[in-house]
Amino acid sequence: AQSVTQPDIHITVSEGASLELRCNYSYGATPYLFWYVQSPGQGLQLLLKYFSGDTLVQGIKGFEAEFKRSQSSFNLRKPSVHWSDAAEYFCAVALSGGYNKLIFGAGTRLAVHP
Amino acid sequence: EAGVAQSPRYKIIEKRQSVAFWCNPISGHATLYWYQQILGQGPKLLIQFQNNGVVDDSQLPKDRFSAERLKGVDSTLKIQPAKLEDSAVYLCASSDNRDPEAFFGQGTRLTVV
C-alpha cells in the first residue's frame, strides 16, 4: 500500500540555524511530491512541489527540497530558519496519472528558539 | 482568484446529533477532496470527487458519513449521528485536471461533546 513517512514528530532549532525535514514515500512509481505548511488554526499552504525534471526544487519562504529516487525521499531544507517558520509541515504524494489521490504524512512540528 | 471557501469555521455538537459542512471550490476545479485531520495527525482523505462523481471513498465511514457534490461545484459533507471520535478539523481542497496541486480551505473545526 502507498504510504508517506515523516520520521520526526517534533524538531526544535535555533533561529538562524539550518533545517532539514525528512520525508520518505512508498509507491510503485515516481509520484508527484509536495510539501505543505500549516500554522495553528489555518489551512494548508503549499511550499513547493515536484513533478519532474530538476530534482532540486525551490519554493516559497526560502525553502527548497530535493527528490532522491534511489532513496524514495523528498527532504525539505532551509539554510536559515526564522521564528515565523514555527509551524507544522506535511509531506504529501499523489500518484501520477489516474485521479491524483493525495496522501499525507503524519507531519513534523517545528519549534524555533530565539 | 477566490480560494476554497468552507463554512462554518467552528461547530460544537452533542454526540448522536447530526452536522453538515459546506465547501465551495476554486472556480473551474474538477477535483474536490474532503479530509479529516485529527489533532496531532496528518490529513486523512475521506472522499474525492471528479466533477460530481466519486472516485475514492475507501476511508469514508459510510454508516455515518455522507457527501455529495451536486452539479460538480459545491459539496456538502454530513455526519449523522456524530461520535466523540469525529472531533477533528474537516478540510476541503480542490485541484484542476491539469495540475495535481491541491488548494485548501481554512477548514471546519468540529467538537463533539
Side-chain angles (χ1 to χ4, degrees), chain A residues 27-34 50-51 93-101, chain B residues 100:
Chain A
Y27 265 99
T30 299
Y32 299 125
L33 298 159
F34 306 85
Y50 173 79
F51 291 169
V93 301
L95 191 62
S96 56
Y99 290 110
N100 298 323
K101 180 177 177 178

Side-chain angles (χ1 to χ4, degrees), chain A residues 11-12 18 23 35 44 59 63 73 77 83 97 99 104 107:
Chain A
I11 284 184
T12 301
S18 63
C23 173
W35 275 99
L44 293 154
F63 285 92
S73 69
R77 300 194 293 250
W83 63 267
Y99 290 110
F104 283 84

Side-chain angles (χ1 to χ4, degrees), chain B residues 13-100:
Chain B
I13 62 172
E14 295 182 348
K15 59 184 179 183
R16 292 187 289 273
Q17 285 187 322
S18 63
V19 65
F21 313 126
W22 173 82
C23 174
N24 181 234
I26 292 173
S27 177
H29 279 190
T31 303
L32 186 146
Y33 310 84
W34 282 103
Y35 287 87
Q36 179 193 59
Q37 186 178 20
I38 293 172
L39 187 64
Q41 299 182 18
K44 182 181 84 170
L45 180 66
L46 292 176
I47 189 167
Q48 179 177 347
F49 291 94
Q50 183 78 8
N51 296 308
N52 60 347
V54 176
V55 298
D56 192 306
D57 63 356
S58 57
Q59 297 197 87
L60 186 75
K62 298 180 184 64
D63 58 332
R64 298 184 299 106
F65 285 65
S66 64
E68 61 181 7
R69 189 182 185 195
L70 298 176
K71 299 181 181 178
V73 184
D74 293 6
S75 177
T76 56
L77 176 70
K78 298 179 182 178
I79 307 175
Q80 181 178 6
K83 293 185 175 181
L84 296 177
E85 59 260 36
D86 297 332
S87 295
V89 175
Y90 291 84
L91 295 164
C92 179
S94 69
S95 65
D96 71 30
N97 288 336
R98 297 160 296 176
D99 185 335

